Amino acid sequence: MDNQQVWFVTGASKGLGLTLTQQLLAAGHKVAATSRTVNALTGAVGISASENFLPLEVTLTDEESVKLAILKALEAFGKLDVVVNNAGYGHFGTLEELTDKESRQNFDINVFGSLNVIRQVMPYLRAQRSGKIFNISSIGGYTANFAGWGIYCATKFAVAGFTEALAAEAKSFGISATVVYPGYFRTSFLTKESMIGPAYSIAAYEDARASQQAHANDINGNQAGDPEKGVAVLIEVAAQTEVPVHLFLGQDAYDLAAMKIDVIQQDLESWKTLATATDFDT
């Protein structure tokens, strides 16, 4: 197990990313952390740049900005041990409500932002033949049975998909890839500052409106997950020699995953005879 690691964390100015950065620094790890503005990042973390902390202003949708940030991290710390693609935001709205522009913007950050980081960091991890990549998805990246969360869940399903592929591609270089599926944690994720709604709402979607109101008024501030405990698990997992490809985080994430598995198992068995009669006759 590593005693001190060099971490690269995106979306570090709030939520799980902020808590992770603070815990890492308190434990003596080195952290290159990114946010859209350095002032927001240093203000949230509570310190400016130091021997162990490199705050970086990055536009994740700009690959040159990402490339420069990784170069600065390597110049400062000499290597990278753990990369956490945490940046992302929730965009609520039914598939009919959200415009093409709104949907693509959510994918740009939640999916392509992480791919930009992976594309730029892999050459260095391959050269050192080591490294761990954690891509933060959501339990909504495993089960999407929530009215009004289709596009957001689709972005998180994409994160799960490319992480599985990355795990296979990177394994021979001594690099691991893990998709993290957090449940509900008591962060700023569901606040008005972090959760975006549709520009155009359709009143007929009563279930979606009820879900939107429930998340804003009832769930927000009452999430069962403790962010401090959640990131402590992530840090402990990252210290292990062998790490999982799939990491479900929180009891609610485990419960929802089990429900999805049961539904799939039931569908498989119910339709097995018909759905498997597809091979050429021999």
Side-chain angles (χ1 to χ4, degrees):
M1 295 176 66
D2 298 324
N3 293 323
Q4 185 186 63
Q5 298 168 313
V6 178
W7 291 61
F8 185 92
V9 181
T10 69
S13 63
K14 59 185 177 180
L16 290 178
L18 173 59
T19 305
L20 174 62
T21 299
Q22 291 171 323
Q23 277 200 26
L24 288 170
L25 292 172
H29 296 289
K30 297 181 184 296
V31 184
T34 83
S35 180
R36 285 176 292 179
T37 64
V38 167
N39 288 341
L41 178 56
T42 56
V45 175
I47 59 174
S48 57
S50 68
E51 181 181 355
N52 285 355
F53 179 49
L54 178 64
L56 296 164
E57 187 168 305
V58 178
T59 302
L60 290 174
T61 54
D62 181 345
E63 195 159 5
E64 286 301 312
S65 178
V66 173
K67 180 179 181 179
L68 181 59
I70 291 169
L71 286 173
K72 288 180 178 178
L74 289 165
E75 290 172 359
F77 300 133
K79 65 171 183 174
L80 292 175
D81 296 307
V82 186
V83 175
V84 181
N85 282 306
N86 168 74
Y89 70 94
H91 202 143
F92 186 89
T94 67
L95 298 182
E96 183 181 355
E97 288 172 327
L98 292 184
T99 64
D100 179 78
K101 181 179 179 180
E102 289 173 312
S103 300
R104 289 178 184 274
Q105 286 175 336
N106 207 195
F107 270 87
D108 280 344
I109 298 296
N110 293 7
V111 178
F112 293 104
S114 294
L115 290 174
N116 284 340
V117 173
I118 291 167
R119 192 178 301 113
Q120 291 301 321
V121 80
M122 277 299 293
Y124 302 102
L125 300 185
R126 283 193 294 105
Q128 68 186 26
R129 301 194 71 81
S130 67
K132 297 181 175 74
I133 299 174
F134 291 89
N135 296 321
I136 309 300
S137 177
S138 162
I139 188 55
Y142 188 78
T143 177
N145 188 28
F146 310 107
W149 293 91
I151 293 300
Y152 172 74
C153 288
T155 69
K156 294 303 186 177
F157 266 75
V159 170
F162 71 63
T163 303
E164 286 190 6
L166 179 61
E169 295 165 357
K171 185 177 181 180
S172 64
F173 302 108
I175 303 164
S176 66
T178 299
V179 54
V180 183
Y181 304 92
Y184 286 98
F185 280 84
R186 201 170 299 177
T187 69
S188 61
F189 179 74
L190 293 178
T191 63
K192 293 180 179 179
E193 293 75 21
S194 298
M195 178 61 62
I196 300 175
Y200 169 63
S201 296
I202 301 173
Y205 283 105
E206 296 179 358
D207 289 344
R209 294 287 80 76
S211 177
Q212 186 176 15
Q213 292 301 316
H215 279 83
N217 301 325
D218 302 325
I219 298 174
N220 183 38
N222 295 306
Q223 300 96 322
D226 182 343
E228 296 286 346
K229 293 180 179 179
V231 301
V233 171
L234 184 58
I235 293 170
E236 184 171 345
V237 171
Q240 308 301 317
T241 302
E242 298 293 330
V243 298
V245 175
H246 301 273
L247 178 62
F248 290 87
L249 207 55
Q251 184 62 55
D252 56 347
Y254 265 74
D255 293 343
L256 287 167
M259 291 172 61
K260 169 72 175 284
I261 292 168
D262 286 343
V263 169
I264 291 176
Q265 192 63 46
Q266 290 173 22
D267 286 347
L268 283 171
E269 293 304 316
S270 296
W271 296 93
K272 182 176 181 179
T273 301
L274 177 63
T276 58
T278 56
D279 293 345
F280 288 105
D281 294 330
T282 57

